[in-house]
Amino acid sequence: MAREQGPPSGRRRFFRLAGLTASMAGRYAGHAIANRFRDEHARQTAREALDSRAGEDLAATLGELKGAVMKLGQFASQTAEFLPASIAEPLKTLQKQAPPMPYSMVRVQLRLALGREPEEAFAWIDPEPYAAASIGQVHRGRLHDGREVVIKLQYPGIASSCDSDLAQLKRALKAGRLIRVSAEVLDALFEEVRARLHEELDYVQEAAQMQRFRDFFADDERIVIPAVVPELSGTEVLTMALETGDELQALGPDYDRTLRSALSLRLFRFMCRSLFELGLIHADPNPGNFAYRPDGRLVIYDFGCIKAVAPETVAAYRRLIRAALAHDWAGVDAALHELGARVPGSPAIEDAFYAEWKAVLLAPLEQDEPFDFASSRIHRRVMAKSPEMLQRLHQFQPPARTLYLDRMIGGHYWTLVHLAGEVDLRGELEPYLLQ
């Protein structure tokens, strides 16, 4: 369980990030000077080595600091097409790197959050964390009336350091020119992340969002969402009923295919209903936030990262898919412009380019039978075409308004591939495309 300390705070956080910025800026400036005396091969080799070291330094620093910057590092590892591979790869370690704070600090934080001693509020608290993440950790507990609960507790000082942490991290990325987008796009992306993180740091809001999803999915007994214990919850502590389940990650090809397909269908329907009917999406697709029960029910945790998707954005996505399926490439381009994925004033995109990508991304929607995720090669075909995309970054850009929607889709694609079930994607999605 590693370190007996919480995340650094205040001045220490500032100086760690400022030191990272200065170090990276100095190294990349030195690299630029040295390039004057190198041939092209030596420049490329040196740049890859520099990026690799930068990635390792970023992962080490963000993992130590936790909070907003660790969350952003996890996010960056999931959107690696705009980062050099040598930087994106070390950041993937942040998906599992979250050393917990000791129980002595947990007691102090609970006392501050609830205004009373933990023993007054709970009959029992497991001193060992049930889970530890970037902005807080979870402990199992029991109420005095016998109810089993989980207690989500925020790390001290995380909320107050959010803005300054993100500002310093953005300076570090700009100093090394690590993100392959314009400064304006980078600023918009960071502002979107900052807004969502402030929401995620407010456990009162998370409790409200959890209740909204519970109410909306009350008609589906196959979806399980924990109930909040409001009298033991607040801005920095969230107490919920314990809803047990086995990790989705534990399911693989050796498990019953009927169960894997049923869970895959539940997950896809949850995505579609959330987006097209509720207008909200659960925007943290980490498989650890989803569990299953042997009867096929899907358990969903952690409603901190919820994104409200504007109706005009949903409509534009719908038009994009319909246009692609109809081979209407002008319609595809118009929808991408509307979503902000095309660089304004950039050269036109040839029809063949869109046709090739449609054949990769929408192939599951062009077959009548269920799509077999066990044999999916979409990710491999996307990776094979990625070098071509890197040559078109003057024409395409990551739109801030769809950042979390794209994250949800991409993240759950990997979960569905892991579950290796069969889903009638066309049949499930078609009613929403016709609206």
Side-chain angles (χ1 to χ4, degrees), residues 14 38 45 53 186 191 233 266 273 343 376 385 435:
F14 175 83
R38 295 174 176 147
T45 301
R53 183 178 175 186
L186 184 61
E191 178 54 31
S233 299
R266 304 270 185 282
R273 290 195 66 192
V343 176
S376 176
K385 292 180 70 63
Q435 293 176 359

Side-chain angles (χ1 to χ4, degrees), residues 290-305:
F290 298 82
Y292 76 96
R293 292 177 179 172
D295 61 4
R297 283 185 287 178
L298 182 69
V299 188
I300 304 170
Y301 308 116
D302 198 337
F303 286 76
C305 190

Side-chain angles (χ1 to χ4, degrees), residues 297-341:
R297 283 185 287 178
L298 182 69
V299 188
I300 304 170
Y301 308 116
D302 198 337
F303 286 76
C305 190
I306 301 298
K307 168 69 177 176
V309 185
E312 55 268 26
T313 299
V314 176
Y317 251 88
R318 186 182 288 116
R319 286 195 296 274
L320 173 64
I321 298 173
R322 284 201 307 240
L325 290 174
H327 296 186
D328 174 11
W329 311 125
V332 168
D333 197 63
L336 289 175
H337 270 98
E338 184 178 352
L339 290 168

Side-chain angles (χ1 to χ4, degrees), residues 228-239:
V228 175
V229 182
E231 64 272 22
L232 293 176
S233 299
T235 303
E236 296 183 355
V237 62
L238 180 60
T239 303

Side-chain angles (χ1 to χ4, degrees), residues 102-114 116 118 153:
Y103 188 63
S104 58
M105 187 178 293
V106 169
R107 287 181 51 80
V108 171
Q109 289 303 107
L110 278 175
R111 189 182 306 119
L112 292 173
L114 296 175
R116 48 181 157 160
L153 187 64

Side-chain angles (χ1 to χ4, degrees), residues 357-425:
W357 274 102
K358 176 259 183 183
V360 173
L361 298 176
L362 298 187
L365 300 181
E366 293 195 304
Q367 61 182 49
D368 294 326
E369 64 274 10
F371 181 71
D372 183 2
F373 277 94
S375 60
S376 176
R377 297 296 180 267
I378 294 175
H379 52 287
R380 294 184 181 179
R381 297 179 69 185
V382 168
M383 290 177 63
K385 292 180 70 63
S386 291
E388 180 184 2
M389 275 300 296
L390 292 177
Q391 303 301 316
R392 291 180 178 266
L393 292 183
H394 63 294
Q395 295 171 301
F396 292 96
Q397 61 188 11
R401 64 189 285 195
T402 66
L403 186 64
Y404 283 87
L405 178 54
D406 295 338
R407 179 196 190 197
M408 178 195 73
I409 295 171
H412 285 320
Y413 166 78
W414 285 110
T415 299
L416 292 170
V417 168
H418 175 76
L419 288 175
E422 291 185 313
V423 182
D424 182 7
L425 296 178

